[in-house]
Amino acid sequence: MIDSTRYPRLSRIDAPADLRQFGEDELPSIADELRAYLIESVGKSGGHFGAGLGVIELTTALHYLYNTPEDRLVWDVGHQCYPHKILTGRRDSIHTVKQQHGIAPFPKRDESEFDTFGVGHSSTSISAALGMAIANAHAGNNRKVVAIIGDGAMTAGMAYEALNHAGGMEPEPNLLVILNDNRMSISENVGGVTKMLGKLTGSQTLNALREGGKKLLGDKNKPTARFVRRWEEHWKGMFVPSTLFEEMGFHYTGPIDGHDVKALVAALKTLKKLKGPQLLHVITTKGKGYELAEDDQIGYHAVSPFDPTLGLVSKSGAKKPTYTDVFGDWLCDMAAADPQLLAITPAMREGSGLVRFSKEYPERYFDVAIAEQHAVTLAAGMACEGAKPVVAIYSTFLQRGYDQLIHDVAIQKLDVLFAIDRGGVVGPDGATHAGNLDLSYLRCVPHMVVMAASDENECRQMLSTGYRHEGPAAVRYPRGTGPGVALQTDLDTLPIGKAQLRHHGSRVALLAFGALVSAAEKVGAELGLTVVNMRFVKPLDRALILELAKTHEGFVTLEDNVVAGGAGSAIAELLAAEDVQLPILHLGLPDAFQHHASREDLLSQAGLDVAGIRASVLSRWTHLNSELPQTPRSAA
């Protein structure tokens, strides 16, 4: 429970209606308490940190002025939603964020009526908010709708599709878009939009003149006001390089200080009365109010539990490399061997392991911002001209570039390697970030070679294999560390489409893909079963599968992917095509979206840990129980 002596105001806010009982002059003190409580809470639980600190005042002002949840607040991405959750009835449970049975790290509709739209991927807020505004107008109600989007999310094309639609509608939709401009996504923002916003923020003189002119001119539909408005657009070009938002049909206000709660309240009061599409530009600092986070905005984007008085402390001692580390080192090694290699990331330099590459090969490194579709087609264009592009991308984000993977890469058989991080169960970030679908959506694409790594060294070999292969290829690997296999320094390749027999047993063959090979080996050794590291989802090792079908009474397929259409389905399709009748048990992830929990807990829930696999096998082939070595009873 919250300490009411330390948080005398915040402890009295169980819902936004309570916040509105305070006087406006108390809002700065409430914001201070909210910031201190967020630092204390995330210090205990871990979670997204810096973005939330940057929107304390904005969140307070929005819930103070708008009648939430009747009025709709639509948060983009969700990294900045912790203050929102604290003010909307989840204050005393915020320390459970990301934990199994705890609150979600992103807005989630079935968690709270204040979470109006579930998110995890960026740049969806304007589209969703516009849809709400249209539906509300159709229903004849006056509900207010506000989209809060970061400048990083404004680098994605979807945001401009929504702006273009909203700004060109007749009648005009009543919609407020708040652009939270802090120069950061997870890493520093890149691209022309970022440069434009940086120049916009310097135009304080223009905005002061503009606001004064509005008061003098009055009704915007008067001929004089219309003339001045057109003159303003041309005059503004002398101060800023673009009038993008107004040209798209939005009335632009700002920029204003996003940490001045009184200024925010004043601006929002005015904007609430205005009709049509509005855009409020606020300037904030990611990590505001916690000096260490302000100084290291990347490191404090998301944190493990830490002592706020000390800050993040580096863990000493040697640690096993993660799969992401393996990829990052391989990329630099292959770049040294092949000058044609180019690397692409959609704004995930740190997460995808590209920090070292970006420093050693800056001229061959391309961060395209949050633009997955563009990233894939950019790679296709590079491949057309003889370059060797590597697209480093999370499984969940590749979903956003799926059409481009099919249309621009696979159909043209272009030489692009997809290094797919966070494949399979991911864990605390929940369903929006899970990579549970990639084997299903990749293996159905013609011309693709699809590999799933079972250990660190095999991941390195597969990356070299996919890179040397002429045509589209994908290497999929999980989050975190592997079994700890020693890494070779060479760039050896694997024969495409060839599996690896790990244990020659009898009766039943366990055909395991990727991260589940280690667990399959333990079960196979205990039960005396054959274990195969399949390595390739596409093409399959047809010869080995058909040979094992002759000598075994059944197959078990294991994959860290949904069963529907996955790697196991490929095995079944092969046997059916060859008219081979053989019992098959498919073990994989359920036909459901799993909630947030640790990776280990989610695998256990799905029956994909050692105990779960063993139980499923013995349940299907019950006679194996009688063949197990009997543990002698201890003497009485």
Side-chain angles (χ1 to χ4, degrees):
M1 295 291 291
I2 189 170
D3 184 346
S4 60
T5 61
R6 297 175 57 203
Y7 305 103
R9 299 171 184 82
L10 188 61
S11 62
R12 292 156 52 194
I13 301 173
D14 295 316
D18 300 322
L19 172 65
R20 297 174 201 129
Q21 299 304 309
F22 287 88
E24 192 173 315
D25 60 332
E26 292 191 83
L27 293 182
S29 297
I30 292 172
D32 290 342
E33 290 185 24
L34 179 55
R35 176 169 281 111
Y37 186 71
L38 180 65
I39 293 170
E40 176 188 342
S41 301
V42 178
K44 293 176 181 177
S45 66
H48 297 109
F49 188 56
L53 289 175
V55 295
I56 294 290
E57 289 80 10
L58 178 60
T59 307
T60 303
L62 285 169
H63 279 297
Y64 186 75
L65 283 177
Y66 286 86
N67 184 31
T68 55
E70 176 65 18
D71 290 335
R72 307 305 201 196
L73 301 184
V74 183
W75 295 93
D76 209 281
V77 184
H79 292 152
Q80 72 274 48
C81 74
Y82 290 17
H84 159 79
K85 294 201 173 199
I86 292 170
L87 292 178
T88 55
R90 289 161 283 183
R91 180 194 62 215
D92 296 337
S93 57
I94 193 69
H95 67 279
T96 69
V97 69
K98 289 196 172 190
Q99 299 172 21
Q100 188 173 10
H101 309 304
I103 65 173
F106 303 114
K108 191 174 183 181
R109 280 172 55 84
D110 60 8
E111 182 177 285
S112 171
E113 62 180 336
F114 292 93
D115 292 357
T116 60
F117 196 75
V119 293
H121 292 181
S122 87
S123 315
T124 62
S125 60
I126 305 176
S127 296
L130 176 59
M132 292 177 185
I134 292 171
N136 289 331
H138 182 72
N141 64 52
N142 294 316
R143 180 179 290 141
K144 305 294 184 182
V145 183
V146 182
I148 305 98
I149 185 169
D151 53 326
M154 284 293 288
T155 63
M158 184 175 178
Y160 294 92
E161 294 172 19
L163 288 171
N164 180 63
H165 182 200
M169 287 182 63
E170 289 291 346
E172 292 183 327
N174 294 323
L175 169 68
L176 171 61
V177 175
I178 297 178
L179 173 57
N180 174 29
D181 183 357
N182 64 14
R183 307 291 190 275
M184 295 291 293
S185 295
I186 296 176
S187 306
E188 302 90 345
N189 282 333
V190 297
V193 173
T194 299
K195 293 179 181 178
M196 179 197 75
L197 291 176
K199 293 177 181 178
L200 272 174
T201 59
S203 185
Q204 302 288 356
T205 302
L206 171 63
N207 284 287
L209 289 172
R210 174 187 188 173
E211 293 306 308
K214 284 192 293 186
K215 294 177 182 178
L216 291 173
L217 292 169
D219 187 354
K220 69 176 183 179
N221 293 315
K222 289 182 178 178
T224 303
R226 289 199 302 269
F227 169 78
V228 172
R229 190 165 62 251
R230 293 301 303 165
W231 172 82
E232 175 201 3
E233 291 177 5
H234 295 287
W235 184 73
K236 185 186 286 186
M238 295 186 294
F239 287 84
V240 295
S242 172
T243 57
L244 175 65
F245 300 119
E246 298 224 2
E247 292 290 351
M248 294 184 79
F250 276 74
H251 176 82
Y252 173 87
T253 300
I256 66 172
D257 182 357
H259 299 299
D260 184 339
V261 69
K262 293 182 179 180
L264 285 168
V265 168
L268 290 170
K269 279 182 178 179
T270 299
L271 290 169
K272 276 187 69 177
K273 301 173 185 176
L274 300 180
K275 301 292 185 181
Q278 309 289 324
L279 189 138
L280 173 62
H281 184 183
V282 302
I283 307 300
T284 63
T285 300
K286 190 173 182 178
K288 178 69 174 179
Y290 185 68
E291 187 175 355
L292 295 173
E294 290 186 39
D295 293 340
D296 182 10
Q297 296 181 343
I298 296 173
Y300 282 86
H301 170 74
V303 296
S304 300
F306 72 103
D307 182 346
T309 62
L310 300 175
L312 298 178
V313 178
S314 299
K315 295 180 180 179
S316 58
K319 63 174 184 176
K320 289 196 301 183
T322 64
Y323 282 100
T324 304
D325 295 333
V326 171
F327 165 71
D329 290 339
W330 169 85
L331 190 67
C332 291
D333 293 345
M334 185 59 79
D338 186 355
Q340 295 303 108
L341 183 149
L342 303 176
I344 301 168
T345 176
M348 293 302 296
R349 179 184 63 193
E350 285 75 21
S352 292
L354 289 167
V355 172
R356 179 187 160 198
F357 184 89
S358 68
K359 294 177 180 177
E360 294 185 10
Y361 299 96
E363 73 286 354
R364 295 157 69 179
Y365 166 75
F366 301 90
D367 183 343
V368 302
I370 304 175
E372 294 87 356
Q373 294 171 295
H374 168 59
V376 176
T377 304
L378 177 71
M382 291 174 174
C384 284
E385 299 302 311
K388 295 281 287 187
V390 178
V391 179
I393 193 167
Y394 285 12
S395 172
T396 182
F397 299 144
L398 183 56
Q399 293 164 187
R400 308 186 86 181
Y402 189 55
D403 178 64
Q404 288 68 31
L405 183 147
I406 295 169
H407 184 272
D408 300 333
V409 176
I411 288 178
Q412 303 185 92
K413 302 180 184 179
L414 291 174
D415 197 358
V416 177
L417 172 63
F418 295 91
I420 305 174
D421 204 335
R422 270 66 165 179
V425 167
V426 173
D429 282 340
T432 58
H433 282 57
N436 296 4
L437 310 175
D438 51 26
L439 298 187
S440 299
Y441 71 65
L442 286 171
R443 80 170 190 85
C444 63
V445 179
H447 308 313
M448 287 293 298
V449 171
V450 183
M451 294 166 271
S454 66
D455 61 50
E456 300 90 334
N457 192 60
E458 188 171 79
C459 181
R460 183 179 171 91
Q461 293 173 320
M462 286 181 173
L463 289 165
S464 295
T465 302
Y467 185 80
R468 299 296 189 196
H469 171 70
E470 293 186 6
V475 179
R476 185 247 212 185
Y477 43 92
R479 180 181 187 177
T481 59
V485 172
L487 289 166
Q488 299 172 356
T489 58
D490 53 36
L491 296 169
D492 287 350
T493 61
L494 300 171
I496 289 180
K498 292 299 180 182
Q500 178 190 40
L501 187 64
R502 287 283 184 98
H503 183 263
H504 200 294
S506 61
R507 294 296 183 91
V508 176
L510 306 181
L511 310 182
F513 295 84
L516 296 189
V517 170
S518 180
E521 282 192 288
K522 294 175 182 176
V523 174
E526 181 183 350
L527 303 181
L529 309 179
T530 295
V531 179
V532 180
N533 172 17
M534 291 302 300
R535 286 181 167 169
F536 290 83
V537 178
K538 185 177 185 178
L540 290 170
D541 191 335
R542 179 178 176 277
L544 179 60
I545 292 169
L546 295 178
E547 181 62 32
L548 292 174
K550 297 176 183 176
T551 57
H552 291 75
E553 60 187 73
F555 283 170
V556 179
T557 65
L558 302 102
E559 59 191 301
D560 183 8
N561 186 82
V562 293
V563 171
S569 294
I571 301 288
E573 291 165 14
L574 171 59
L575 295 179
E578 296 293 332
D579 197 23
V580 175
Q581 304 297 317
L582 192 72
I584 304 180
L585 172 63
H586 296 299
L587 298 182
L589 298 174
D591 186 23
F593 293 110
Q594 291 180 292
H595 298 299
H596 52 279
S598 70
R599 175 175 166 80
E600 293 73 24
D601 285 339
L602 291 176
L603 288 173
S604 177
Q605 290 173 21
L608 296 179
D609 58 355
V610 171
I613 295 169
R614 181 182 186 278
S616 294
V617 172
L618 293 178
S619 176
R620 182 65 175 271
W621 287 279
T622 56
H623 61 279
L624 293 176
N625 284 286
S626 61
E627 299 173 9
L628 289 174
Q630 298 299 309
T631 302
R633 294 182 179 179
S634 59

